[in-house]
Amino acid sequence: MTHSTQWETVIGLEIHAELNTKSKLFSVAPNRFGDEPNTNISEVCTGQPGALPVLNREAVRKAVQFGCAINAQIAKFSKFDRKSYFYPDSPRNFQITQYEQPIVIGGTVIAEINGKEQTFAVNRVHLEDDAGMLKHFPAFAGVDYNRAGVPLIEIVSEPCIHSPKEASAYAMAIKAILQYIDACDCNMEEGSLRIDANVSVRLKGEKGLRNKIEIKNMNSFSNMEMALESEIKRQIREYTENPDQPIDQVIKQATYRWDPEKKETVMMRSKEQAEDYRYFPEPDLVPIILTDFYIEQIRQEMPELPLQRERRYVKELGLSADNAFILTSDKPIADYFEIALKECQSPKVLCNWIIVEFAGRLKDSGKTLVNCGIPPQHVGKLVALIEKGTITGRIAKTVADDMLATPGKNPEIIVMENPDYSPVHDQAELERLVDQVLQENPQSIADFKAGRDKAFAFLVGQIMKMTKGKASPPIVNELLKSKIGSL
């Protein structure tokens, strides 16, 4: 029996999303990324004695919107607590968070895994403020408090995730919801979306959970999958190699971080318990009291969410569930697709050009179709040129290269200006080529007549090669079939 069939993985994710409000959670200081260190700060952000927090109502609104998007219960009464810890990036020596009575309770997230929908349970979502950032230099370390006090929602899942693939599908679904309701820009490189994972393994059929390891510092979905894979293997190995030790001695609760260079998880510190943080109610803030009317109004104004959009693409546009999920998981790409679709008739072909052809060409440049300078209308026009038979699919691939080389240039003009890009529609010219190819390949004709379709594809390929891919495929197919038929 292999380890993987004997063991079951249990994962819970804590996703921290920075809300894109104009100001911070408890002060009027601007909430902006990338400014000079320690410029977006106030008395509150730096924890000056006597500075009092005042709650940002827009942050509350965005938290409630997210709660509505996952069909959770919105608490009409929620309150803030102090979580004490001493660290240079926390100027007050405590974080203001919601421990006992969070603003959002429960909820479900539906994600797409291998073409099937899977439902994940959320435990809670609470509001809290972010800490500053430590910057390490060769001779000293500095603290930038620009991020201190930025509003966060922390989305805590139930331990209901059982593989790294499920974890990244769930996290991608959360990211998409945040984008669609415009609550967070979800830029993982800039840290506006951060994911911590709690992971443990147990023998199949075992009740209860074993000690968990928390993994931090995973700044992309692929890194998260690798970190979880590596940690799961490590835990199974430890349990297997130490069968005589008590289980809670083999894996002790601790916080690890993912090291992308070494491709392994590295221990940071042993784990604190909740009582170590000495939570108590925040005395400087009144509770958040919401009315049914307020919650209902937010619910009525919800935009189309990624799951609804994905189902619409499958039902109305005939896309596969996988492709619809890839498109809708990233709102800017889905918006781009919809604008491009106004220029052409084939959603499936357009989808393929966006998520395969152009994505493949841009993979190593660090750019995406959305920010590479090609307007969506031009990608739609490229597909329309193929649909009308103005160019062949093969020519279109070269036109796509030209579009990337001169972003903003209309593909219709690119095709018009380059004589090599007009397909050969000339019947007489094509007939001459077809005769030549049939004369040179008698064996392929015999194979095709014997029922081998590959032989026909080979003959088409020969003609395409002679015309540099410019022959119109329907005409070539027709000519070949009628000529072979008359032989």
Side-chain angles (χ1 to χ4, degrees):
M1 198 176 186
T2 62
H3 295 324
S4 52
T5 53
Q6 235 177 317
W7 295 91
E8 177 182 42
T9 303
V10 184
I11 300 168
L13 294 186
E14 293 167 13
I15 299 180
H16 298 81
E18 286 188 354
L19 301 176
N20 53 5
T21 51
K22 288 193 173 65
S23 55
K24 294 188 182 177
L25 187 54
F26 302 118
S27 85
V28 294
N31 171 14
R32 275 201 308 263
F33 179 83
D35 290 2
E36 281 293 304
N38 296 314
T39 50
N40 301 338
I41 55 175
S42 70
E43 300 84 347
V44 177
C45 318
T46 51
Q48 301 302 316
L52 292 174
V54 178
L55 181 59
N56 180 336
R57 61 177 346 146
E58 187 55 26
V60 173
R61 184 184 169 79
K62 287 183 191 277
V64 173
Q65 266 187 307
F66 183 81
C68 292
I70 61 168
N71 293 317
Q73 179 197 339
I74 311 294
K76 285 191 260 181
F77 179 97
S78 62
K79 67 175 183 54
F80 286 101
D81 300 281
R82 283 188 183 184
K83 173 183 181 177
S84 306
Y85 67 96
F86 294 87
Y87 208 65
D89 62 9
S90 167
R92 301 181 290 246
N93 291 326
F94 60 84
Q95 180 188 29
I96 302 180
T97 180
Q98 293 187 309
Y99 178 59
E100 283 182 329
Q101 289 175 291
I103 191 162
V104 173
I105 303 143
T108 50
V109 170
I110 297 175
E112 180 80 47
I113 295 147
N114 300 330
K116 289 193 181 64
E117 284 185 0
Q118 201 168 323
T119 304
F120 298 94
V122 173
N123 172 289
R124 57 185 286 158
V125 179
H126 58 258
L127 274 164
E128 59 186 26
D129 63 353
D130 211 343
M133 283 178 90
L134 284 175
K135 302 268 172 79
H136 296 275
F137 301 97
F140 67 98
V143 189
D144 177 7
Y145 286 126
N146 279 351
R147 198 178 72 183
V150 164
L152 289 176
I153 49 174
E154 182 176 340
I155 304 150
V156 183
S157 80
E158 294 288 359
C160 60
I161 300 166
H162 297 293
S163 73
K165 204 172 177 57
E166 284 182 18
S168 81
Y170 162 83
M172 279 170 78
I174 295 258
K175 174 191 168 194
I177 292 169
L178 288 163
Q179 280 182 326
Y180 278 62
I181 62 173
D182 188 27
C184 173
D185 69 13
C186 299
N187 187 324
M188 292 177 87
E189 287 76 48
E190 291 178 3
S192 56
L193 190 70
R194 307 196 288 279
I195 305 175
D196 297 337
N198 291 300
V199 57
S200 64
V201 298
R202 62 182 174 197
L203 288 167
K204 283 230 167 108
E206 189 178 305
K207 293 280 172 270
L209 296 169
R210 297 188 178 192
N211 278 346
K212 63 175 192 266
I213 295 293
E214 182 175 25
I215 314 174
K216 293 188 176 293
N217 185 38
M218 302 173 292
N219 62 355
S220 71
F221 296 121
S222 55
N223 269 345
M224 177 171 77
E225 281 193 43
M226 288 191 289
L228 287 167
E229 287 286 353
S230 144
E231 179 55 31
I232 291 162
K233 282 188 186 135
R234 185 187 76 82
Q235 290 188 25
I236 293 173
R237 192 174 61 239
E238 292 288 332
Y239 285 127
T240 314
E241 286 172 4
N242 301 288
D244 307 330
Q245 271 195 33
I247 341 183
D248 55 353
Q249 292 301 307
V250 179
I251 299 285
K252 294 185 174 155
Q253 296 225 136
T255 302
Y256 278 62
R257 67 180 174 81
W258 170 243
D259 186 326
E261 302 297 310
K262 292 186 185 160
K263 299 255 182 288
E264 60 181 42
T265 49
V266 182
M267 179 152 167
M268 285 165 68
R269 56 177 180 268
S270 60
K271 190 75 180 143
E272 302 87 356
Q273 298 298 334
E275 48 269 27
D276 295 340
Y277 289 125
R278 300 200 310 282
Y279 285 99
F280 68 92
E282 169 53 63
D284 292 336
L285 284 161
V286 293
I288 302 173
I289 311 279
L290 304 177
T291 61
D292 285 324
F293 176 73
Y294 173 84
I295 298 166
E296 200 41 50
Q297 204 177 4
I298 289 179
R299 195 161 280 153
Q300 294 305 324
E301 291 166 6
M302 290 295 279
E304 181 184 42
L305 293 167
L307 185 69
Q308 296 160 340
R309 197 178 216 181
E310 182 201 325
R311 287 173 175 167
R312 173 164 69 83
Y313 284 3
V314 172
K315 200 170 137 204
E316 294 174 17
L317 303 179
L319 297 184
S320 71
D322 274 344
N323 284 353
F325 182 64
I326 293 171
L327 272 182
T328 54
S329 292
D330 193 17
K331 183 171 187 286
I333 275 285
D335 292 346
Y336 191 99
F337 169 77
E338 297 214 347
I339 299 168
L341 194 55
K342 295 192 172 103
E343 304 289 332
C344 60
Q345 308 295 314
S346 323
K348 284 181 176 170
V349 179
L350 175 63
C351 173
N352 184 59
W353 274 93
I354 287 177
I355 66 177
V356 178
E357 292 291 341
F358 278 105
R361 286 169 170 75
L362 287 159
K363 199 171 73 193
D364 300 332
S365 70
K367 283 190 176 148
T368 67
L369 196 45
V370 174
N371 63 19
C372 74
I374 297 178
Q377 292 84 348
H378 287 182
V379 177
K381 284 188 167 136
L382 177 69
V383 173
L385 288 168
I386 306 168
E387 288 168 349
K388 291 182 203 133
T390 312
I391 56 174
T392 61
R394 186 157 162 193
I395 294 173
K397 287 177 189 266
T398 321
V399 176
D401 295 336
D402 292 354
M403 287 165 74
L404 281 166
T406 53
K409 191 163 184 183
N410 191 327
E412 291 167 351
I413 292 170
I414 294 176
V415 169
M416 216 165 59
E417 288 178 352
N418 192 330
D420 282 349
Y421 290 170
S422 49
V424 182
H425 286 298
D426 180 351
Q427 194 95 6
E429 165 71 1
L430 282 175
E431 263 189 67
R432 195 181 60 69
L433 293 174
V434 169
D435 289 339
Q436 186 186 332
V437 167
L438 290 176
Q439 213 173 340
E440 289 169 2
N441 299 285
Q443 186 55 48
S444 296
I445 300 170
D447 288 349
F448 174 59
K449 286 189 164 173
R452 295 197 189 99
D453 289 343
K454 272 189 180 160
F456 187 77
F458 169 76
L459 293 169
V460 174
Q462 292 302 307
I463 293 163
M464 286 309 202
K465 204 187 265 176
M466 291 164 86
T467 61
K468 296 197 179 116
K470 292 194 298 184
S472 165
I475 298 178
V476 172
N477 284 359
E478 209 175 304
L479 280 172
L480 269 173
K481 281 195 174 139
S482 70
K483 296 249 177 196
I484 293 173
S486 65
L487 285 174

